[in-house]
Amino acid sequence: MSTPPAMLYPELLAPFDLHAITRDGHRLDHAEGASKPLQSRPEPQPRGAKVHGSRPIDQAEAAARFIAAPEHEKMHDERLWDLRQKRDREMHGIAEWEELRSLASAIKEHTLTHLDQYLEQFEANARSNGIHVHWARDAVEHNQIVHGILKGHGAKSLIKSKSMLTEECGFRPYMASVGIEIIETDLGERIQQLDNEDPSHVVVPAVHKLRTDVAEVFAKTIGTDPANSDVHYLAEAQREATRPLILAADAGMTGCNFAVAETGTFVVCTNEGNADLSANVPKLHIASIGIEKIIPRLEHLALFVRLLSRSALGSPVTQYTSHFRGPREGGEMHIVLVDNGRSERLGMEEFWTSLKCIRCGACMNTCPVYRRSGGLSYGATYSGPIGLIIDPTFNQRKYSNLPFASTLNGSCSNVCPVKINIHEQIYAWRRVLTECHETPLAKRVEMKAAGELLSRPAAYRTAVAAADIALAHLPRWVIYNGLNAWGRHHEVPHPPKETFHSWYQANRGGKQ
Ligand code: SF4
């Protein structure tokens, strides 16, 4: 009889571990932790923004519902702030961090300003590697091309790793409409799929959910115990339910983090190895690639990989950095290069550098508005600071409120690994939207009144003095009423005893 391999933690063998999670007398593979079901009563998960065609998304309304769910808001805020702090620790470990950011920014700007050449180079090299290359002008073309490939192979099911581009293209609903089943292989994305929700974050799609929310979703969809929110139990149950579907799938699909023009190859970074499942289990692999994902040379890759994982999750490297160089033996590989508004954005003088984005999510993790309102409150594929810039390029009217969901504190720009001037572009969108009359009437009236007041110093000083007196003496209910939206979540500060203007007059006699 052969000796069983030594266990790293023998005390965790089920008979000795009172907390082990077992089913039918067998210990579950991933149940080594000590997590236990939450004892508190589950708080219902707040849902995202209400979307009505092209009517402007009311982000503030959806954010208010998220804030009104304190367990969700606290968990979301803390979880994302934790990622931000981990990112900071990693950043401080690299002395040349700022040089890396500048270099990454310069490479991206160079590539975007020579995009036609690099795309053609990428296409030629990918073809010579045996990859079929397709071009999609927009989301509809992308979906039709992929459908055509699947139809040509008689494929009825597709396993897919997380890809914001396919979300942007409305790929899942389209495939459902033509009778092709999609199974997400990323755990967070699978949770969102089972809950019929979009991802709420570009890196951690289900980060807005408590584990009681996940327990509820799994109980309804894969038959788990609704009272058991142990993370190991839930992950294992999901694995058991999904693995057979993955193994039987007819085709696989991935996104792409970086496509290298020099080699015609592409790279996908994941922490679960799910892109490798999607790409390697079925013989047919389709990759959807936004045209901005191109980098010129293989030697540039290390720079971006170093920046991506540290900025995203505060880890030195993603668990899996998978290079796809061509179809495997007996298999077939297709790439769909997608524009979907990117060329148009490239021509926007104030917003073209948003195409440098490597979707690390760091700007979301640091944003005080995003952390407290949840990604689904934006009602768009891209949320958080980068979403405020990208979304209006798809539909100005629908996303006209979004650039106002920011404090403009500039933290997003400070953490961005490719140095996008995010807060300046958000500010620029406010001006553009106001000029195009895409802002609500009430906001236009307020802004006009504020402009009038600020342009008349004497009237401004009188108004400030009157407001100070009012704030000091009016009863609370007069100040905190339904018209004072700001006062719903803030204490109006006590007016100072003296304004700067009156101090200056008294101490400097008004002289310059
Ligand atoms: S804008 Fe910058 S920080 Fe935000 S997701 Fe893109 S690369 Fe990351």
Side-chain angles (χ1 to χ4, degrees):
M1 206 171 85
S2 62
T3 321
M7 276 192 77
L8 199 53
Y9 300 106
E11 69 277 15
L12 289 181
L13 274 170
F16 308 110
D17 180 5
L18 297 176
H19 301 301
I21 312 290
T22 59
R23 188 179 305 152
D24 302 331
H26 299 289
R27 184 184 176 122
L28 297 178
D29 282 356
H30 298 278
E32 278 88 358
S35 105
K36 312 226 177 48
L38 289 175
Q39 297 305 314
S40 58
R41 270 184 51 185
E43 173 186 82
Q45 185 199 321
R47 293 293 162 178
K50 294 166 188 152
V51 180
H52 306 284
S54 273
R55 277 183 29 205
I57 298 287
D58 191 349
Q59 195 269 346
E61 182 275 330
R65 280 188 281 111
F66 195 80
I67 292 166
E71 279 188 49
H72 285 81
E73 190 217 5
K74 184 168 182 294
M75 176 278 300
H76 194 257
D77 185 19
E78 287 176 357
R79 176 83 183 95
L80 294 176
W81 188 244
D82 180 51
L83 290 180
R84 159 74 209 261
Q85 288 178 312
K86 284 182 176 147
R87 172 253 172 222
D88 289 354
R89 280 198 288 276
E90 284 298 322
M91 176 202 75
H92 289 305
I94 296 185
E96 69 278 20
W97 182 260
E98 286 306 313
E99 283 77 20
L100 296 184
R101 286 178 75 213
S102 299
L103 186 58
S105 171
I107 292 171
K108 277 281 181 183
E109 289 192 11
H110 165 81
T111 315
L112 288 167
T113 49
H114 299 78
L115 196 54
D116 51 342
Q117 295 163 27
Y118 286 120
L119 280 168
E120 281 176 14
Q121 189 187 4
F122 175 77
E123 181 189 20
N125 287 330
R127 283 191 198 281
S128 66
N129 294 339
I131 305 174
H132 301 268
V133 181
H134 312 258
W135 296 86
R137 261 179 298 237
D138 54 25
V140 175
E141 246 183 46
H142 165 266
N143 295 344
Q144 288 170 345
I145 289 169
V146 178
H147 181 211
I149 300 167
L150 295 174
K151 215 164 142 192
H153 287 76
K156 285 279 168 212
S157 64
L158 176 80
I159 50 173
K160 179 178 152 304
S161 70
K162 196 170 75 55
S163 147
M164 292 310 291
L165 176 59
T166 56
E167 297 294 329
E168 184 187 312
C169 292
F171 182 68
R172 259 190 344 231
Y174 177 88
M175 284 294 136
S177 75
V178 293
I180 291 179
E181 185 190 13
I182 294 192
I183 301 111
E184 296 285 351
T185 53
D186 174 276
L187 176 58
E189 195 69 46
R190 180 69 176 157
I191 293 169
Q192 289 307 94
Q193 182 186 20
L194 292 175
D195 199 19
N196 206 16
E197 267 193 334
D198 292 334
S200 78
H201 186 286
V202 292
V203 176
V204 274
V207 69
H208 61 297
K209 278 182 161 67
L210 298 172
R211 49 186 159 134
T212 47
D213 301 327
V214 179
E216 196 182 317
V217 174
F218 283 5
K220 280 187 199 146
T221 51
I222 58 172
T224 54
D225 174 3
N228 193 345
S229 61
D230 178 88
V231 289
H232 304 289
Y233 165 70
L234 293 172
E236 190 62 29
Q238 198 286 138
R239 185 175 188 268
E240 286 182 15
T242 309
R243 233 356 113 93
L245 303 176
I246 292 175
L247 295 176
D250 301 319
M253 190 170 191
T254 63
C256 157
N257 290 94
F258 307 104
V260 185
E262 177 186 45
T263 55
T265 61
F266 60 99
V267 168
V268 186
C269 303
T270 70
N271 282 302
E272 298 172 22
N274 54 301
D276 305 82
L277 272 181
S278 306
N280 294 316
V281 174
K283 287 193 168 168
L284 174 62
H285 174 195
I286 306 166
S288 293
I289 304 181
I291 56 172
E292 83 285 14
K293 292 294 170 90
I294 298 282
I295 56 172
R297 292 207 293 277
L298 197 57
E299 69 185 50
H300 298 147
L301 193 59
L303 166 68
F304 287 101
V305 170
R306 282 181 91 188
L307 286 169
L308 175 64
S309 186
R310 287 179 169 88
S311 301
L313 298 170
S315 55
V317 72
T318 43
Q319 300 294 320
Y320 298 84
T321 303
S322 307
H323 295 244
F324 296 102
R325 301 155 57 89
R328 65 186 158 112
E329 218 175 297
E332 203 172 298
M333 185 183 279
H334 293 253
I335 283 174
V336 188
L337 289 164
V338 187
D339 187 314
N340 202 34
R342 285 158 175 76
S343 298
E344 209 180 316
R345 204 182 311 149
L346 196 54
M348 295 179 170
E349 201 181 332
E350 290 178 284
F351 306 114
W352 72 274
T353 57
S354 62
L355 286 161
K356 292 192 289 182
C357 176
I358 57 171
R359 308 276 189 266
C360 71
C363 56
M364 299 168 188
N365 304 343
T366 198
C367 175
V369 176
Y370 179 89
R371 290 205 317 271
R372 291 173 182 86
S373 55
L376 297 178
S377 69
Y378 295 75
T381 300
Y382 300 103
S383 52
I386 186 64
L388 306 188
I389 305 169
I390 296 179
D391 296 324
T393 67
F394 290 113
N395 188 331
Q396 263 189 31
R397 163 141 300 198
K398 186 171 180 178
Y399 302 117
S400 55
N401 286 327
L402 296 191
F404 295 90
S406 167
T407 64
L408 299 181
N409 62 35
S411 179
C412 45
S413 306
N414 288 339
V415 298
C416 178
V418 285
K419 286 196 153 188
I420 301 174
N421 57 337
I422 306 171
H423 70 296
E424 288 171 3
Q425 294 193 35
I426 295 171
Y427 183 64
W429 262 120
R430 292 185 184 181
R431 197 199 69 245
V432 171
L433 291 165
T434 307
E435 283 168 4
C436 301
H437 304 291
E438 290 291 8
T439 45
L441 179 64
K443 198 184 284 292
R444 290 209 296 275
V445 171
E446 280 167 21
M447 289 298 149
K448 193 160 173 42
E452 294 286 337
L453 196 62
L454 292 170
S455 62
R456 291 179 171 74
Y460 173 75
R461 281 196 284 280
T462 308
V464 168
D468 285 354
I469 293 166
L471 282 175
H473 297 98
L474 285 176
R476 209 179 148 77
W477 62 268
V478 177
I479 300 167
Y480 295 92
N481 59 40
L483 295 173
N484 182 3
W486 197 84
R488 266 178 235 151
H489 303 293
H490 304 83
E491 271 300 299
V492 179
H494 286 292
K497 288 198 176 67
E498 185 179 35
T499 63
F500 174 73
H501 182 263
S502 52
W503 176 89
Y504 195 86
Q505 287 289 334
N507 293 282
R508 297 285 186 274
K511 294 190 193 97
Q512 295 294 321

